[in-house]
mmCIF file of all heavy atoms in Angstrom:
data_model
loop_
_atom_site.group_PDB
_atom_site.id
_atom_site.type_symbol
_atom_site.label_atom_id
_atom_site.label_comp_id
_atom_site.label_asym_id
_atom_site.label_seq_id
_atom_site.Cartn_x
_atom_site.Cartn_y
_atom_site.Cartn_z
ATOM 1 N N PHE M 164 88.549 97.900 109.579
ATOM 2 C CA PHE M 164 87.503 98.912 109.733
ATOM 3 C C PHE M 164 87.631 99.609 111.077
ATOM 4 O O PHE M 164 88.115 99.015 112.053
ATOM 5 C CB PHE M 164 86.127 98.239 109.622
ATOM 6 C CG PHE M 164 84.943 99.153 109.781
ATOM 7 C CD1 PHE M 164 84.816 100.293 109.010
ATOM 8 C CD2 PHE M 164 83.939 98.857 110.702
ATOM 9 C CE1 PHE M 164 83.716 101.132 109.155
ATOM 10 C CE2 PHE M 164 82.836 99.690 110.848
ATOM 11 C CZ PHE M 164 82.724 100.832 110.071
ATOM 12 N N THR M 165 87.236 100.863 111.114
ATOM 13 C CA THR M 165 87.175 101.600 112.371
ATOM 14 C C THR M 165 85.877 102.391 112.447
ATOM 15 O O THR M 165 85.375 102.875 111.429
ATOM 16 C CB THR M 165 88.362 102.577 112.516
ATOM 17 O OG1 THR M 165 88.221 103.289 113.752
ATOM 18 C CG2 THR M 165 88.412 103.585 111.371
ATOM 19 N N TYR M 166 85.344 102.500 113.669
ATOM 20 C CA TYR M 166 84.175 103.355 113.882
ATOM 21 C C TYR M 166 84.580 104.830 113.921
ATOM 22 O O TYR M 166 83.730 105.705 113.866
ATOM 23 C CB TYR M 166 83.495 103.008 115.214
ATOM 24 C CG TYR M 166 82.898 101.622 115.263
ATOM 25 C CD1 TYR M 166 83.153 100.780 116.340
ATOM 26 C CD2 TYR M 166 82.076 101.153 114.250
ATOM 27 C CE1 TYR M 166 82.602 99.512 116.412
ATOM 28 C CE2 TYR M 166 81.518 99.885 114.313
ATOM 29 C CZ TYR M 166 81.785 99.062 115.394
ATOM 30 O OH TYR M 166 81.230 97.815 115.450
ATOM 31 N N GLY M 167 85.860 105.088 114.067
ATOM 32 C CA GLY M 167 86.331 106.466 114.099
ATOM 33 C C GLY M 167 86.017 107.190 115.391
ATOM 34 O O GLY M 167 85.857 108.416 115.398
ATOM 35 N N LEU M 168 85.944 106.459 116.496
ATOM 36 C CA LEU M 168 85.622 107.077 117.783
ATOM 37 C C LEU M 168 86.829 107.837 118.322
ATOM 38 O O LEU M 168 87.979 107.425 118.151
ATOM 39 C CB LEU M 168 85.195 106.004 118.789
ATOM 40 C CG LEU M 168 84.026 105.099 118.385
ATOM 41 C CD1 LEU M 168 83.718 104.117 119.512
ATOM 42 C CD2 LEU M 168 82.798 105.923 118.045
ATOM 43 N N ASP M 169 86.550 108.938 119.014
ATOM 44 C CA ASP M 169 87.628 109.727 119.616
ATOM 45 C C ASP M 169 88.444 108.894 120.602
ATOM 46 O O ASP M 169 89.653 109.077 120.735
ATOM 47 C CB ASP M 169 87.052 110.953 120.339
ATOM 48 C CG ASP M 169 86.475 111.979 119.373
ATOM 49 O OD1 ASP M 169 86.845 111.945 118.168
ATOM 50 O OD2 ASP M 169 85.649 112.811 119.804
ATOM 51 N N ALA M 170 87.752 107.968 121.287
ATOM 52 C CA ALA M 170 88.423 107.141 122.295
ATOM 53 C C ALA M 170 89.541 106.308 121.683
ATOM 54 O O ALA M 170 90.585 106.096 122.321
ATOM 55 C CB ALA M 170 87.412 106.228 122.977
ATOM 56 N N SER M 171 89.353 105.834 120.465
ATOM 57 C CA SER M 171 90.382 105.005 119.835
ATOM 58 C C SER M 171 91.619 105.828 119.498
ATOM 59 O O SER M 171 92.750 105.383 119.718
ATOM 60 C CB SER M 171 89.838 104.331 118.575
ATOM 61 O OG SER M 171 89.454 105.288 117.606
ATOM 62 N N GLN M 172 91.409 107.032 118.980
ATOM 63 C CA GLN M 172 92.548 107.879 118.658
ATOM 64 C C GLN M 172 93.326 108.244 119.916
ATOM 65 O O GLN M 172 94.559 108.236 119.929
ATOM 66 C CB GLN M 172 92.083 109.150 117.945
ATOM 67 C CG GLN M 172 93.226 109.999 117.400
ATOM 68 C CD GLN M 172 94.043 109.268 116.368
ATOM 69 O OE1 GLN M 172 93.539 108.859 115.326
ATOM 70 N NE2 GLN M 172 95.339 109.089 116.645
ATOM 71 N N LYS M 173 92.587 108.546 120.993
ATOM 72 C CA LYS M 173 93.239 108.901 122.255
ATOM 73 C C LYS M 173 94.041 107.727 122.804
ATOM 74 O O LYS M 173 95.152 107.894 123.310
ATOM 75 C CB LYS M 173 92.221 109.365 123.292
ATOM 76 C CG LYS M 173 92.856 109.840 124.598
ATOM 77 C CD LYS M 173 91.825 110.320 125.593
ATOM 78 C CE LYS M 173 92.480 110.917 126.824
ATOM 79 N NZ LYS M 173 93.463 110.032 127.463
ATOM 80 N N ALA M 174 93.467 106.529 122.700
ATOM 81 C CA ALA M 174 94.149 105.329 123.215
ATOM 82 C C ALA M 174 95.492 105.127 122.523
ATOM 83 O O ALA M 174 96.497 104.822 123.169
ATOM 84 C CB ALA M 174 93.261 104.103 123.035
ATOM 85 N N PHE M 175 95.521 105.314 121.225
ATOM 86 C CA PHE M 175 96.771 105.150 120.488
ATOM 87 C C PHE M 175 97.725 106.312 120.749
ATOM 88 O O PHE M 175 98.937 106.116 120.851
ATOM 89 C CB PHE M 175 96.488 105.009 118.989
ATOM 90 C CG PHE M 175 96.184 103.603 118.562
ATOM 91 C CD1 PHE M 175 94.880 103.125 118.593
ATOM 92 C CD2 PHE M 175 97.191 102.745 118.144
ATOM 93 C CE1 PHE M 175 94.588 101.826 118.206
ATOM 94 C CE2 PHE M 175 96.913 101.446 117.753
ATOM 95 C CZ PHE M 175 95.611 100.977 117.791
ATOM 96 N N ASP M 176 97.173 107.513 120.863
ATOM 97 C CA ASP M 176 98.016 108.685 121.129
ATOM 98 C C ASP M 176 98.709 108.586 122.486
ATOM 99 O O ASP M 176 99.807 109.123 122.676
ATOM 100 C CB ASP M 176 97.183 109.971 121.080
ATOM 101 C CG ASP M 176 96.782 110.358 119.665
ATOM 102 O OD1 ASP M 176 97.387 109.828 118.716
ATOM 103 O OD2 ASP M 176 95.862 111.188 119.513
ATOM 104 N N ASP M 177 98.042 107.914 123.423
ATOM 105 C CA ASP M 177 98.589 107.812 124.780
ATOM 106 C C ASP M 177 99.714 106.784 124.899
ATOM 107 O O ASP M 177 100.397 106.727 125.928
ATOM 108 C CB ASP M 177 97.480 107.455 125.781
ATOM 109 C CG ASP M 177 96.552 108.635 126.055
ATOM 110 O OD1 ASP M 177 96.920 109.768 125.698
ATOM 111 O OD2 ASP M 177 95.463 108.409 126.620
ATOM 112 N N LEU M 178 99.891 105.965 123.879
ATOM 113 C CA LEU M 178 100.959 104.974 123.917
ATOM 114 C C LEU M 178 102.330 105.645 123.874
ATOM 115 O O LEU M 178 102.529 106.643 123.183
ATOM 116 C CB LEU M 178 100.844 104.018 122.729
ATOM 117 C CG LEU M 178 99.838 102.877 122.849
ATOM 118 C CD1 LEU M 178 99.697 102.161 121.513
ATOM 119 C CD2 LEU M 178 100.268 101.888 123.930
ATOM 120 N N ASN M 179 103.255 105.093 124.621
ATOM 121 C CA ASN M 179 104.620 105.601 124.627
ATOM 122 C C ASN M 179 105.591 104.417 124.622
ATOM 123 O O ASN M 179 105.650 103.689 125.614
ATOM 124 C CB ASN M 179 104.863 106.489 125.848
ATOM 125 C CG ASN M 179 106.223 107.155 125.815
ATOM 126 O OD1 ASN M 179 106.822 107.274 124.755
ATOM 127 N ND2 ASN M 179 106.716 107.569 126.976
ATOM 128 N N PRO M 180 106.309 104.195 123.524
ATOM 129 C CA PRO M 180 106.357 105.000 122.304
ATOM 130 C C PRO M 180 105.081 104.880 121.471
ATOM 131 O O PRO M 180 104.269 103.982 121.693
ATOM 132 C CB PRO M 180 107.564 104.428 121.550
ATOM 133 C CG PRO M 180 107.687 103.025 122.054
ATOM 134 C CD PRO M 180 107.277 103.069 123.497
ATOM 135 N N LYS M 181 104.937 105.788 120.530
ATOM 136 C CA LYS M 181 103.724 105.876 119.729
ATOM 137 C C LYS M 181 103.533 104.639 118.853
ATOM 138 O O LYS M 181 104.488 103.963 118.474
ATOM 139 C CB LYS M 181 103.770 107.109 118.821
ATOM 140 C CG LYS M 181 103.829 108.437 119.558
ATOM 141 C CD LYS M 181 102.516 108.725 120.264
ATOM 142 C CE LYS M 181 102.525 110.127 120.869
ATOM 143 N NZ LYS M 181 101.294 110.407 121.629
ATOM 144 N N CYS M 182 102.263 104.376 118.558
ATOM 145 C CA CYS M 182 101.899 103.343 117.587
ATOM 146 C C CYS M 182 100.794 103.924 116.716
ATOM 147 O O CYS M 182 99.719 104.284 117.220
ATOM 148 C CB CYS M 182 101.418 102.070 118.286
ATOM 149 S SG CYS M 182 100.923 100.748 117.138
ATOM 150 N N ALA M 183 101.059 104.051 115.437
ATOM 151 C CA ALA M 183 100.061 104.601 114.511
ATOM 152 C C ALA M 183 99.111 103.498 114.062
ATOM 153 O O ALA M 183 99.482 102.318 114.015
ATOM 154 C CB ALA M 183 100.757 105.201 113.300
ATOM 155 N N PHE M 184 97.870 103.876 113.762
ATOM 156 C CA PHE M 184 96.966 102.888 113.176
ATOM 157 C C PHE M 184 96.314 103.453 111.921
ATOM 158 O O PHE M 184 96.046 104.640 111.819
ATOM 159 C CB PHE M 184 95.918 102.411 114.187
ATOM 160 C CG PHE M 184 94.772 103.356 114.436
ATOM 161 C CD1 PHE M 184 93.612 103.295 113.675
ATOM 162 C CD2 PHE M 184 94.840 104.301 115.458
ATOM 163 C CE1 PHE M 184 92.547 104.149 113.912
ATOM 164 C CE2 PHE M 184 93.780 105.161 115.710
ATOM 165 C CZ PHE M 184 92.633 105.089 114.926
#
Side-chain angles (χ1 to χ4, degrees):
F164 179 53
T165 179
Y166 295 131
L168 304 181
D169 291 340
S171 62
Q172 188 62 60
K173 184 179 186 307
F175 274 89
D176 287 344
D177 286 346
L178 279 171
N179 186 21
K181 297 291 186 183
C182 179
F184 78 90

